[in-house]
């Protein structure tokens, strides 16, 4: 399956929206650090950062392969 500009744009928009959501969570986690929960705040920031990266990789993979996890689960 060929990569279409529409699919690439939709994936980029989805990746950006997800990153903005997680950035909001990261700001809350920074608040936890300020309030004294350093270990919990840092752990949550790392987790949110990893979720941003893994989501971006998965969506990019979907654009290039033309498949999604939902399609793979059905197979």
């Amino acid at each position: 399956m060929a990569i279409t500009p529409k699919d690439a744009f939709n994936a980029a928009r989805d990746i950006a929206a997800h990153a903005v959501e997680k950035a909001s969570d990261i700001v809350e986690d920074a608040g936890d650090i300020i309030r004294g929960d350093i270990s919990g705040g840092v752990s949550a920031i790392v987790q949110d950062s990893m979720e941003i990266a893994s989501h971006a990789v998965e969506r990019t993979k979907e654009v290039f392969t033309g498949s999604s996890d939902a399609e793979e689960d059905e197979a």
Side-chain angles (χ1 to χ4, degrees), residues 15 50-64:
I15 290 167
M50 293 301 296
E51 288 179 21
I52 290 171
S54 64
H55 181 262
V57 168
E58 287 300 315
R59 285 294 286 141
T60 302
K61 178 181 163 187
E62 288 174 17
V63 170
F64 281 103

Side-chain angles (χ1 to χ4, degrees), residues 9-21:
F9 177 78
N10 288 338
R13 183 175 57 195
D14 182 50
I15 290 167
H18 184 263
V20 168
E21 286 178 32

Side-chain angles (χ1 to χ4, degrees), residues 4-53:
T4 65
K6 181 180 178 181
D7 290 340
F9 177 78
N10 288 338
R13 183 175 57 195
D14 182 50
I15 290 167
H18 184 263
V20 168
E21 286 178 32
K22 287 298 173 181
S24 173
D25 293 344
I26 289 171
V27 169
E28 289 178 23
D29 299 334
D32 291 342
I33 292 171
I34 291 170
R35 287 187 294 277
D37 183 13
I38 297 182
S39 176
V42 170
S43 175
I45 288 172
V46 169
Q47 180 65 35
D48 290 335
S49 299
M50 293 301 296
E51 288 179 21
I52 290 171

